[in-house]
Amino acid sequence: MKITKTRLLALAAATAWMAIGHAAVADELSIMASGGAWQDAQRKAWFEPFSKETGTKIVEQEYLGDLGKVKAMVDTGNVPIDLVTVETATVLQGCDAGILERLDYSKIAPREKFIAGSALDCGVGLDAYGDILAYDPTVLKEAPTSVLDLFDTKKFPGKRAMRKFPAQNLEWALMADGVAPADVYKVLGTPEGVDRAFKKLDTIKKDIVWWDAGAQPAQLLASQEVVMTTAWNGRIQNAIDTDKKPFKIVWNNQILEYDMIAIPKGAKSPDLAYKYLAYISQPENNAKLASYITYGPVRTDAASFVAADALPKLPNAPDHLAGAYLVADTEFWGDYGEDLVKRFNAWLAQ
């Protein structure tokens, strides 16, 4: 068959359109995070600059951090996301269960360049944040001095809000019962220690308002439904700086944690996911998040890139580590988390 010049041009055009179509699919990256001010900050610090630099379209999704949602995707073979933010308390569980991919750090950054505990097999750190206590001084006239004041209902009567999750609450319960921070996980790793933590939580159970989403603590304080609340430091600082709320943060006995990001098994664009991870793991880029929400970088060489006005507000600022604090033990929660979640949910139902 004779191929005319017109037909050749038509074939070339069709091939070009097919290539464009394939490129469009390849250059779409779906990221699922936990919403609110934190996701807004990621959008400004990372999503939008990465998209502008690479031409990649970022598709955002939100969830409450429930690993079960990701497991359902993986189990059915329908994984519409490429990256998912996860907590240190759940990333090891997801790794052991085969829900998350084991990361190749040669495609991201040298593993030794991250703060200890923030570069795990199946999750790489995004930021360092503090589980803190917050209150409104216009409502609570006497200032609490420790997160453990949650358990002092005589000195601080009224409702207090805590996250509906065992991590952090069990550690604080043991510290409020006299366990030194250095011994918390050793004690919590025993049946007697678990019983002791729940017994301490029993003392305030009727006074607790439970929260699930990170935006709720500031809302509960603003509506005066509670006199104090646990929270992620950046959400409260955002309410102070952006919404001009009069809230105060109590750093003493904070629990220091890392937000992580992972690739779920079966992700449709793993190469593009790695490209994004490498981008946000560059020290100058890792530091950018602190300009939009007061969470610290996880790269050991990123501090010099943090905006000067953000540094004093970070959870790992020297002043905020001067008192008692606890670094969350990711391995502990990887080993015991599933059982403790079941125990916590049963306790809630009692």
Side-chain angles (χ1 to χ4, degrees):
M1 181 179 71
K2 186 178 179 181
I3 300 177
T4 66
K5 183 177 180 180
T6 301
R7 183 170 176 81
L8 283 171
L9 289 171
L11 286 169
T15 302
W17 277 110
M18 287 175 65
I20 291 170
H22 285 303
V25 172
D27 289 337
E28 184 173 285
L29 186 69
S30 180
I31 303 176
M32 188 163 72
S34 57
W38 184 54
Q39 191 155 330
D40 291 342
Q42 290 182 78
R43 185 179 308 114
K44 294 170 185 174
W46 298 327
F47 297 170
E48 291 175 352
F50 179 78
S51 182
K52 184 177 181 180
E53 184 173 311
T54 65
T56 302
K57 179 183 177 181
I58 302 292
V59 178
E60 297 184 45
Q61 297 190 43
E62 293 184 19
Y63 81 134
L64 291 176
D66 177 15
L67 200 61
K69 183 172 182 177
V70 183
K71 184 178 186 301
M73 295 176 183
V74 174
D75 287 348
T76 60
N78 180 22
V79 184
I81 57 173
D82 302 302
L83 290 161
V84 58
T85 61
V86 287
E87 295 182 43
T88 50
T90 56
V91 67
L92 292 181
Q93 296 173 44
C95 198
D96 292 342
I99 300 168
L100 305 176
E101 293 281 1
R102 292 188 177 273
L103 298 177
D104 180 355
Y105 277 86
S106 70
K107 298 179 179 179
I108 304 172
R111 203 164 179 172
E112 65 273 12
K113 292 292 186 180
F114 292 87
I115 296 172
S118 67
L120 305 179
D121 288 350
C122 293
V124 62
L126 290 171
D127 58 61
Y129 67 95
D131 300 305
I132 51 83
L133 183 71
Y135 69 99
D136 183 342
T138 67
V139 173
L140 199 60
K141 300 307 180 184
E142 186 170 1
T145 59
S146 164
V147 180
L148 307 185
D149 285 332
L150 280 163
F151 294 87
D152 192 343
T153 54
K154 288 186 177 180
K155 189 174 183 180
F156 303 102
K159 295 290 186 181
R160 51 260 287 128
M162 300 175 77
R163 189 182 176 206
K164 192 187 286 187
F165 196 68
Q168 299 93 53
N169 294 332
L170 296 180
E171 289 98 322
W172 282 322
L174 287 179
M175 287 190 280
D177 203 46
V179 177
D183 296 327
V184 163
Y185 290 108
K186 181 171 64 176
V187 175
L188 196 55
T190 67
E192 297 79 12
V194 173
D195 289 344
R196 183 176 173 182
F198 278 103
K199 186 177 179 181
K200 189 64 177 177
L201 283 173
D202 279 333
T203 64
I204 59 170
K205 187 176 183 181
K206 65 181 178 60
D207 297 305
I208 300 173
V209 174
W210 299 105
W211 60 268
D212 295 294
Q216 289 177 278
Q219 294 166 358
L220 290 167
L221 284 180
S223 64
Q224 299 185 13
E225 292 177 62
V226 299
V227 297
M228 60 177 67
T229 181
T230 63
W232 299 320
N233 75 284
R235 300 301 184 100
I236 299 299
Q237 193 66 54
N238 183 73
I240 295 170
D241 293 343
T242 303
D243 302 329
K244 308 305 177 185
K245 298 297 182 183
F247 305 154
K248 297 290 186 182
I249 293 175
V250 180
W251 295 97
N252 194 30
N253 290 115
Q254 70 161 315
I255 296 177
L256 195 63
E257 295 197 75
Y258 306 118
D259 279 314
M260 317 290 286
I261 190 166
I263 301 174
K265 285 273 189 180
K268 56 182 170 39
S269 302
D271 291 341
L272 194 55
Y274 271 114
K275 189 174 182 179
Y276 178 80
L277 295 182
Y279 174 84
I280 63 173
S281 295
Q282 295 171 23
E284 62 272 25
N285 291 335
N286 188 226
K288 287 179 181 177
L289 189 73
S291 294
Y292 303 103
I293 194 165
T294 50
Y295 296 153
V298 291
R299 280 286 300 245
T300 56
D301 50 355
S304 62
F305 296 101
V306 175
D309 60 339
L311 274 172
K313 301 175 182 178
L314 302 184
N316 46 355
D319 286 351
H320 300 155
L321 299 179
Y325 69 94
L326 179 69
V327 177
D329 189 326
T330 55
E331 291 190 9
F332 174 89
W333 283 102
D335 292 340
Y336 295 97
E338 187 175 351
D339 290 338
L340 289 175
V341 167
K342 289 178 181 177
R343 173 76 182 267
F344 183 76
N345 289 337
W347 174 80
L348 285 175
Q350 291 173 355

